[in-house]
Amino acid sequence: MTIAQIETNLQELLKNFSSQTFIFDLLLGYGFPKSTLARLEKGELNQLESKGELTHRKQLFFKVAPAQTLHALIDQLANDPKATKNSPRFIIVTDYETLLAVDTKTKDTLDIKLLDLAKHYDFFLPWAGMERAQHKDENPADVRAAEKMAKLYDEIIRENTTKTKEEVHALNVFLTRLLFCYFAEDTNIFSDNQFTKAIQSHTQTDGSDLDSYLQRLFDVLNIEKRDQSLPEYLKAFPYVNGGLFRDRFVLPKFSMKSRNIMIEVGTLNWSEINPDIFGSMIQAVITPEHRGGMGMHYTSVPNIMKVIEPLFLDALYEEFEQSKENKTKLANLHKRLTHLKIFDPACGSGNFLIIAYKNLRKLEMKIFKQIDALSGQRSFVFSEIKLSQFYGIELDDFAHEVAILSLWLAEHQMNLEFFKEFGRTSPTLPLHQGGSIIQGNATRLNWKEVCPKEDGDEIYILGNPPYLGSSMQDDEQKKDLALVCNGFENYKNLDYIACWFVKGANYIVNSNACYAFVSTNSICQGEQVGLLWPYILEKNLEIKFAYTSFKWTNNAKSNAAVIVSIIGLSNISVSQKKLYYNGICHIVNNINPYLTAGRSVVLARRGKPISNLPPMLYGNKSTDNGYLFLTFEEKEKLLKQYPQAEKYIKKLIGSNELINSIQRWCLWINDEDVEDAKKIPFILDRLNAVAEWRNLSKASCTVKYSEYPNRFKQITFRNTAAIVIPRVSSERREYIPFGFVDSDTIVLDSAQAIYIPNSFIFGVISSKMHMVWVKTTAGRLKSDYRYSSALCYNNFPFPNISEQQKELITEHVFNILHEREQHSEKTLAQLYDPDKMPEGLKEAHHQLDLAIERCYRAKPFESDEERLEYLFKLYEEMTAKEGKK
C-alpha cells in the first residue's frame, strides 16, 4: 500500500463517514486485509456497541467517549493495564468530532478534528509497515522537545489573542521562561521535577487558574528576600535573578488541554536536551510563513562545527598540542581564550554562540587538566571564560529572548561538566549577565558598537545569515541592501546575504579579526561574483577557508535542506588556505571567489569569446503582444485560405519550445513584402494590432517600432542553420539540452543561437567540462541555471584543437543525436531528466566528455573541482596572452 493510496482511502472514508464502521474503515484504509477485518468486526461489534470500545491485538485499543472527557481519558488509558494488556501500537479515543491518539512505541500524540484525519495520515503509517522517518545524527530528545513545544504553542495561540506587538512579545518571554523552568527541574537548578509537579499539584485540572499560579511563581523567582507568609511549595523555588523573571507580562489563559500538554512537556528528560536545539524549537514553533519571510535556516551541531573549527578552533587546538609540555605556554593559551570575542550578527536562537562557548569551555578544561598533570597537584581554579565574551544581533524577538536563555543554560551545562572533572564549579544561581545579544536589524546597526574592538582582542564573526535572492526580498530588505551596498553597480541583483559579507569586510579590515558565514552559493556564481567580490578583495582580504556546495540540514521537524557554501575571510596572510570538497580538506595557496584553488580572478562580461569559437547571439525579440505568433491551427487555416502566405511564415523556437517539443510559428515579413502581405486580410489585421499595441507603449523606442509592425523589435536572425541554447535550464540536469534548427526557424529571445553551427561546437558546449564551468559562472533564476553568453560562453577557455579532434567530437555529437532519435516520442525535458535519462544517451554523453577532456590533457580528471581548477588556470593564461597583445 502506497502513501498516495492511504491518503485517497482516508479522504474516501471521511467523504462517506459512518460512525458504525469508522474504525474498520480506518484500518482498511491502511491496508489491513478484508478477511481479518471481517473476523474482527464479527467478534468485536457487540463490544463496540455495548461498551463503546474495541481491541485489535498488537494494533489498536479504540474507545468512544463524550467530548469533555477525551483528554483525561487518553492519559488514563495510556497507563491502564487493561487497555495495554494486548500491547496495542495505538490507543485512540474519539467523540467522532475530535480524535486523540497515542503511539505507544514512540510516545507521540495526536489531537485533531476528525475531519482533518487525512492531513495527518503519517501518524498511523506503522499500520502499513512504514515507520515515520527518524532524524539521523541528532539527539531524538531534541527533536521530541521541539515538537512538543510546537504543540503547546499552537494550543496557546488557539486559546489566546496575540495580535499586538506587545502581546506577541509577552508570549515570547513566557515561552523562554517556560523553557528555563523545564530545563532547571531536570538539571539540578531546581529540585527534581519541581516545576511540573507544582503545576500538577497546585492548579485546577481545567487549567483555569494556571495563569495566576505561574504569574505568582515567576514573581517569586525574581525575589531574593521573600515574604515568610508564602506557601512552602513556592518558597522552595530558588532565587534566579539575571533579569529573566524581572519584568511582569500578562500571561496566556489555559484550558485543560493546554495544561495537559504543559505537564506532558515536563515529563521529557530535559537534561538530555541541548540548548543548541532551541533554534530548531523556533523552527517548529514559528509558522513557516514567518520563518520563510526572514530567510532563516536553522542549524545542526555537526554543520556548525564546519564553521567553528577552521575559523578558530583548529588553530587553538594546534597551539594546545604544541604547548602541552610547557606550563607557561599553556597559561598563555588560556589567557588568549579569555580575550576572544565571538560575534554572530544573525544569531537566531544562539546556536553558533552556544556551540562556540561549549567548545571553548572544553578546551579550557583540557588546559587546566594538563597544567595539573605537569604540576603534579590539583590547582584551585575556576572557569574564566565569560558569557560577556559572546555577542549577537537578532531581528526576531522570540529568537533573541531564547538566545539569551540558551547561553545561560549552556553555561550551567558546562559548569556541571567542570564539576565532574574538578569537583568544584561556580554556582549557576543567581544568574549573571548573559551574552551581549541585541535585538535589531544587523544591516542597520553599527557592528563596532555592538561588539567593540579593543586592544588585545581577538574577534571571530560567524553565523548563518538570511539568504534571499533579489526576487524574494521584501521592500524593507531591498532598503537594507541599498543602504549597505550603496555605490555598488547593479547592487539590486545581489542576494540579501551580501549585506553581511560587506559589513563583515568593513569590520575586520586591518584588525585581529576574521569572519565566516554559511551562505547561499549564488554569491560565488555568475554576475554576483563581479558585483560583490572586487569590493571585498580590494580591502586586502582573502578567503581563508571554504566549503564548496553541500546540503545544509538541521534537526528540526520537517527540516529543509538547502544548497550552501561556507566561506571564511581574513586579512591577507602567507598562511596556506583550506578548501573542503568531497569530504576532504585540500591545502592550497589561494582560494578565488568561485571557491576553487587559484588566483583571485573575477570574470568580466565579454562581448566575444576568449576561445576560438563562433559568436553566440541573443534570440529575436518580438515585443508585439503575441500578434505576430501563430498556433498550429491558425497557421493551417491561413494557408488553406491563402496558400501564398507560406512565404511569410517561419517556424519559431525558444527555450520552452525546444525543451518541451512545442511547435509554434510566426509571421516573418521582409520590408519589401509588406504591401503584398497586407492584401491577405488576416495578416493585415495582425499588423494593425501590432502597430496599435506598440503605439500605446510607455517606451518611446517601442512606439517608434509601431511604424514597422512587420518587424520583430530586436532581430539577430541569420539565414543559416543554428545551434539553440536555452537561457534557463533546470539545475537538476547533468547537461543542458541544446538543439539544432534549420535556416527557416526563428530563435526567440528566451534562447540564444550560434549561427555557424559546426557540429563540434555543439559537442564542446554539451560536455561536462562546459557544464562544470556553467554551474560556477552562470547566474540563477530561482535555482535554475541562467545561461549568459557574456559570462558562461565568451569566458569559457577551450584550447585550439586539430581537425582530427574536431571530427572525433563531431562523431560523438552524431551519436548523441542518434540516441535522442531512438526516443523521438520523448521531449528533451524527459530525455534529460536525471532520474529517467536513457542509458544509451548517458553513455553517448560520457564518451563525448572523455573526448573533450582529452583536448585539455591526456590524464583524466578525477573530480569537478579538479576540472574547474584547470579551467581557471587556463583562463588566466589566455587572459594574460590577451593582455600582452
Side-chain angles (χ1 to χ4, degrees):
M1 172 101 24
T2 66
I3 287 176
Q5 287 173 316
I6 290 169
E7 285 188 274
T8 302
N9 293 342
L10 295 184
Q11 289 163 359
E12 285 296 315
L13 179 157
L14 296 172
K15 186 177 177 182
N16 304 303
F17 176 78
S18 164
S19 60
Q20 287 184 319
T21 62
F22 166 73
I23 191 60
F24 304 106
D25 293 339
L26 179 62
L27 293 169
L28 189 64
Y30 280 88
F32 280 73
K34 289 185 179 180
S35 57
T36 302
L37 293 181
R39 290 196 300 272
L40 176 67
E41 189 170 0
K42 184 178 179 181
E44 300 289 348
L45 197 54
N46 290 337
Q47 187 183 2
L48 184 59
E49 290 174 351
S50 60
K51 296 185 178 180
E53 63 185 46
L54 177 146
T55 302
H56 185 12
R57 183 176 174 80
K58 293 189 178 294
Q59 301 295 344
L60 169 72
F61 181 88
F62 174 78
K63 189 171 181 66
V64 181
Q68 61 269 27
T69 66
L70 288 180
H71 289 94
L73 180 61
I74 193 82
D75 292 338
Q76 176 190 328
L77 291 175
N79 298 296
D80 184 349
K82 290 183 181 178
T84 58
K85 70 177 181 178
N86 290 315
S87 304
R89 177 63 188 264
F90 294 99
I91 297 173
I92 300 175
V93 298
T94 183
D95 62 348
Y96 292 121
E97 288 189 8
T98 299
L99 183 143
L100 278 63
V102 174
D103 184 333
T104 60
K105 180 179 177 181
T106 66
K107 308 304 180 187
D108 288 330
T109 60
L110 185 67
D111 183 348
I112 59 171
K113 300 264 184 215
L114 187 65
L115 291 176
D116 291 335
L117 181 60
K119 297 177 184 175
H120 299 272
Y121 70 88
D122 61 323
F123 190 82
F124 298 108
L125 281 179
W127 276 342
M130 292 179 272
E131 292 293 335
R132 280 162 286 160
Q134 298 299 308
H135 296 264
K136 297 178 182 177
D137 301 324
E138 303 294 349
N139 182 356
D142 293 344
V143 178
R144 207 173 300 122
E147 293 179 356
K148 297 286 187 189
M149 287 300 295
K151 188 175 174 183
L152 175 61
Y153 176 85
D154 289 343
E155 191 59 28
I156 290 173
I157 287 294
R158 195 179 67 79
E159 296 169 352
N160 294 270
T161 302
T162 52
K163 292 181 179 178
T164 68
K165 186 176 180 181
E166 290 74 19
E167 288 171 335
V168 171
H169 179 66
L171 178 57
N172 292 343
V173 173
F174 168 70
L175 289 169
T176 56
R177 289 173 176 178
L178 208 55
L179 289 170
F180 174 82
C181 291
Y182 284 134
F183 193 85
E185 68 176 357
D186 284 345
T187 58
N188 299 321
I189 299 176
F190 294 170
S191 299
D192 188 39
N193 269 346
Q194 185 178 8
F195 177 66
T196 303
K197 283 178 181 176
I199 293 174
Q200 286 176 305
S201 305
H202 300 292
T203 65
Q204 298 294 320
T205 57
D206 63 0
S208 58
D209 64 344
L210 182 53
D211 59 327
S212 58
Y213 168 78
L214 290 174
Q215 190 69 270
R216 195 176 183 193
L217 172 62
F218 291 167
D219 289 344
V220 168
L221 292 173
N222 193 51
I223 299 171
E224 187 171 11
K225 295 179 180 178
R226 295 170 178 175
D227 190 331
Q228 293 305 306
S229 64
L230 277 174
E232 286 301 319
Y233 67 85
L234 285 177
K235 281 198 287 185
F237 282 92
Y239 170 52
V240 173
N241 196 14
L244 181 58
F245 295 95
R246 181 183 57 225
D247 300 320
R248 242 179 175 253
F249 295 96
V250 175
L251 297 188
K253 299 292 182 183
F254 297 90
S255 64
M256 176 186 287
K257 182 175 178 181
S258 52
R259 177 182 178 273
N260 285 344
I261 296 173
M262 278 189 65
I263 294 169
E264 187 180 317
V265 173
T267 62
L268 297 172
N269 185 354
W270 284 75
S271 65
E272 296 177 356
I273 294 163
N274 294 323
D276 37 87
I277 188 58
F278 291 150
S280 296
M281 286 188 174
I282 291 175
Q283 186 167 10
V285 170
I286 296 177
T287 62
E289 292 80 11
H290 189 191
R291 184 172 74 250
M294 293 186 292
M296 297 163 80
H297 296 282
Y298 293 89
T299 319
S300 65
V301 177
N303 278 336
I304 292 173
M305 296 305 290
K306 290 178 180 175
V307 177
I308 289 175
E309 286 175 338
L311 182 62
F312 62 85
L313 199 58
D314 286 347
L316 292 174
Y317 269 95
E318 284 173 18
E319 185 174 343
F320 172 69
E321 291 298 325
Q322 293 166 4
S323 308
K324 277 179 114 172
E325 304 306 320
N326 187 306
K327 282 200 301 182
T328 302
K329 287 184 177 180
L330 287 169
N332 288 337
L333 173 58
H334 181 251
K335 185 178 180 181
R336 181 184 173 189
L337 297 188
T338 64
H339 284 84
L340 295 182
K341 286 183 177 178
I342 311 297
F343 175 29
D344 184 346
C347 69
S349 58
N351 303 47
F352 281 82
L353 297 175
I354 293 158
I355 302 303
Y357 172 79
K358 289 166 77 171
N359 277 279
L360 290 176
R361 286 287 302 267
K362 288 174 185 176
L363 177 56
E364 182 186 49
M365 287 192 286
K366 286 180 179 290
I367 292 171
F368 287 163
K369 284 178 71 176
Q370 189 62 21
I371 290 174
D372 286 355
L374 293 175
S375 303
Q377 60 183 18
R378 301 191 73 175
S379 55
F380 196 74
V381 292
F382 292 88
S383 175
E384 294 182 37
I385 295 172
K386 308 297 182 188
L387 292 183
S388 55
Q389 294 173 239
F390 294 80
Y391 300 79
I393 303 173
E394 174 50 38
L395 181 63
D396 181 74
D397 179 55
F398 184 22
H400 160 256
E401 294 289 341
V402 174
I404 297 170
L405 170 65
S406 299
L407 280 168
W408 272 325
L409 301 186
E411 181 181 47
H412 176 63
Q413 274 191 332
M414 296 315 299
N415 285 347
L416 295 178
E417 292 296 318
F418 196 97
F419 183 82
K420 287 178 188 176
E421 287 288 346
F422 301 103
R424 63 184 183 276
T425 193
S426 305
T428 296
L429 295 181
L431 297 176
H432 301 288
Q433 179 61 42
S436 302
I437 313 297
I438 305 298
Q439 197 266 321
N441 185 336
T443 67
R444 305 295 181 104
L445 294 173
N446 184 336
W447 290 10
K448 293 176 184 176
E449 292 178 1
V450 175
C451 179
K453 291 194 285 185
E454 297 166 354
D455 288 344
D457 283 347
E458 184 178 337
I459 303 173
Y460 295 99
I461 305 173
L462 76 182
N464 185 10
Y467 15 99
L468 294 161
S470 57
S471 63
M472 302 295 290
Q473 296 162 18
D474 62 28
D475 290 341
E476 282 303 305
Q477 289 158 345
K478 289 180 189 296
K479 289 177 185 176
D480 294 341
L481 192 63
L483 180 70
V484 174
C485 300
N486 182 32
F488 283 48
E489 186 179 354
N490 296 325
Y491 71 85
K492 292 180 180 178
N493 294 332
L494 282 168
D495 191 282
Y496 188 50
I497 200 173
C499 296
W500 277 260
F501 277 84
V502 171
K503 289 182 76 77
N506 293 336
Y507 185 98
I508 72 168
V509 68
N510 297 325
S511 60
N512 188 16
C514 305
Y515 72 84
F517 294 133
V518 182
S519 171
T520 169
N521 48 15
S522 65
I523 64 165
C524 296
Q525 298 167 336
E527 69 170 337
Q528 291 202 49
V529 175
L531 300 179
L532 173 65
W533 286 95
Y535 178 86
I536 293 173
L537 298 177
E538 284 166 8
K539 291 184 173 293
N540 288 324
L541 302 180
E542 64 181 1
I543 298 176
K544 174 183 179 180
F545 73 93
Y547 277 83
T548 59
S549 300
F550 68 98
K551 280 190 176 181
W552 180 268
T553 56
N554 60 70
N555 52 350
K557 185 177 182 180
S558 304
N559 69 60
V562 291
I563 304 299
V564 300
S565 302
I566 298 174
I567 307 167
L569 288 105
S570 66
N571 290 274
I572 286 179
S573 71
V574 296
S575 64
Q576 290 186 306
K577 315 303 180 280
K578 294 179 179 179
L579 183 60
Y580 297 83
Y581 57 84
N582 295 339
I584 299 171
C585 175
H586 301 263
I587 304 300
V588 298
N589 292 325
N590 192 66
I591 302 171
N592 67 33
Y594 299 94
L595 305 189
T596 64
R599 285 182 52 235
S600 293
V601 297
V602 174
L603 301 184
R605 299 179 68 86
R606 298 179 66 91
K608 60 182 182 179
I610 191 173
S611 304
N612 189 19
L613 300 172
M616 181 182 292
L617 304 178
Y618 280 113
N620 301 270
K621 189 172 184 179
S622 59
T623 317
D624 67 330
N625 201 31
Y627 292 122
L628 293 176
F629 294 173
L630 302 172
T631 64
F632 175 79
E633 292 76 14
E634 287 170 337
K635 181 201 71 153
E636 290 298 303
K637 184 178 178 181
L638 177 60
L639 290 177
K640 187 174 182 180
Q641 288 182 290
Y642 303 97
Q644 69 272 28
E646 187 171 7
K647 67 178 291 189
Y648 309 126
I649 298 174
K650 288 189 182 294
K651 197 171 182 181
L652 196 68
I653 194 165
S655 292
N656 191 35
E657 291 79 9
L658 173 70
I659 292 172
N660 294 300
S661 298
I662 297 170
Q663 293 199 329
R664 296 174 74 193
W665 288 263
C666 70
L667 296 173
W668 189 266
I669 306 168
N670 295 326
D671 290 348
E672 61 270 19
D673 296 326
V674 170
E675 293 307 316
D676 282 343
K678 283 182 177 180
K679 293 174 184 177
I680 300 172
F682 177 89
I683 293 179
L684 177 61
D685 290 344
R686 287 297 183 98
L687 295 183
N688 287 339
V690 172
E692 185 178 343
W693 183 81
R694 287 178 177 173
N695 218 18
L696 295 173
S697 175
K698 294 180 181 179
S700 58
C701 58
T702 302
V703 172
K704 182 179 177 182
Y705 260 77
S706 63
E707 300 174 21
Y708 310 101
N710 61 301
R711 297 183 192 171
F712 276 44
K713 185 166 177 269
Q714 295 173 21
I715 298 174
T716 57
F717 174 69
R718 304 289 185 270
N719 195 22
T720 68
I723 300 172
V724 182
I725 299 93
R727 286 175 61 187
V728 177
S729 183
S730 169
E731 68 166 351
R732 291 185 64 243
R733 298 186 184 114
E734 192 171 346
Y735 303 96
I736 296 176
F738 303 115
F740 282 105
V741 294
D742 60 28
S743 60
D744 219 29
T745 300
I746 303 300
V747 178
L748 275 173
D749 66 322
S750 61
Q752 297 171 101
I754 298 173
Y755 284 105
I756 307 174
N758 294 326
S759 298
F760 90 91
I761 302 295
F762 184 97
V764 171
I765 61 176
S766 297
S767 68
K768 177 172 278 192
M769 288 295 282
H770 187 61
M771 277 307 303
V772 168
W773 183 259
V774 169
K775 288 176 183 178
T776 302
T777 61
R780 292 290 189 274
L781 184 62
K782 294 184 179 177
S783 61
D784 294 336
Y785 302 124
R786 187 165 57 189
Y787 192 104
S788 162
S789 60
L791 286 172
C792 303
Y793 181 74
N794 291 345
N795 278 313
F796 180 58
F798 186 71
N800 291 322
I801 60 174
S802 67
E803 289 301 318
Q804 186 179 359
Q805 287 172 305
K806 291 179 184 178
E807 288 172 9
L808 181 60
I809 293 169
T810 300
E811 188 177 321
H812 288 298
V813 169
F814 288 153
N815 288 341
I816 288 173
L817 298 177
H818 174 72
E819 288 297 332
R820 289 183 183 181
E821 281 299 315
Q822 298 303 304
H823 306 277
S824 56
E825 77 284 357
K826 294 184 177 180
T827 65
L828 290 179
Q830 293 168 328
L831 286 174
Y832 284 83
D833 182 326
D835 298 328
K836 301 173 184 176
M837 194 173 182
E839 288 302 319
L841 184 57
K842 277 185 185 176
E843 181 59 23
H845 268 285
H846 176 62
Q847 293 302 322
L848 171 66
D849 292 339
L850 295 176
I852 294 294
E853 290 184 9
R854 284 193 291 270
C855 295
Y856 289 92
R857 71 182 195 190
K859 181 186 175 185
F861 292 97
E862 294 183 3
S863 67
D864 285 349
E865 286 75 17
E866 196 177 322
R867 290 181 181 91
L868 206 52
E869 186 177 337
Y870 190 96
L871 287 170
F872 270 104
K873 189 174 180 181
L874 180 57
Y875 174 83
E876 289 176 39
E877 293 171 4
M878 294 174 80
T879 51
K881 286 181 182 177
E882 265 191 336
K884 288 179 181 178
K885 287 181 182 178

